[in-house]
Amino acid sequence: LELKPDLATALFTFDQKAFEAGALPTKIKELIAVGAAHITRCPYCIEGHVKRAKKAGATDEEIAEAVFVGIAMSAGASVAHSCFAMDALQE
């Protein structure tokens, strides 16, 4: 990041803008990020967005549900990709 401060600044500015309240309130955006972070499996994103969701007013129950939505989405991708394994059995 130090080698390209202009790009780092642009990234952080984009992140800040993306999470500002708009059509969706910041709390909802952070809950989406909590679920997405479980799909990308980034421990730093999980921790950071859980804390930001809590700060934005999310309850523990809302955060837990967002986690399970991410888990379900990740499991869904695995199920969908199982079709490749089943197709390979036919070859």
Side-chain angles (χ1 to χ4, degrees):
L1 296 174
E2 300 90 31
L3 295 176
K4 295 300 287 178
D6 55 331
L7 293 176
T9 299
L11 174 64
F12 294 129
T13 299
F14 172 75
D15 183 77
Q16 194 173 31
K17 285 286 186 194
F19 283 92
E20 283 180 358
L24 294 172
T26 299
K27 178 179 104 168
I28 298 301
K29 291 179 178 188
E30 288 297 344
L31 289 169
I32 292 168
V34 168
H38 283 78
I39 295 168
T40 61
R41 297 179 177 103
C42 174
Y44 303 105
C45 293
I46 291 168
E47 181 181 1
H49 287 290
V50 165
K51 289 178 179 179
R52 286 168 55 169
K54 192 84 166 155
K55 185 177 178 184
T59 66
D60 292 354
E61 292 79 11
E62 289 172 323
I63 293 168
E65 283 190 23
V67 168
F68 278 102
V69 168
I71 292 168
M73 293 299 295
S74 187
S78 294
V79 170
H81 282 91
S82 71
C83 296
F84 294 109
M86 298 302 104
D87 287 347
L89 293 174
Q90 304 304 315
E91 295 177 6

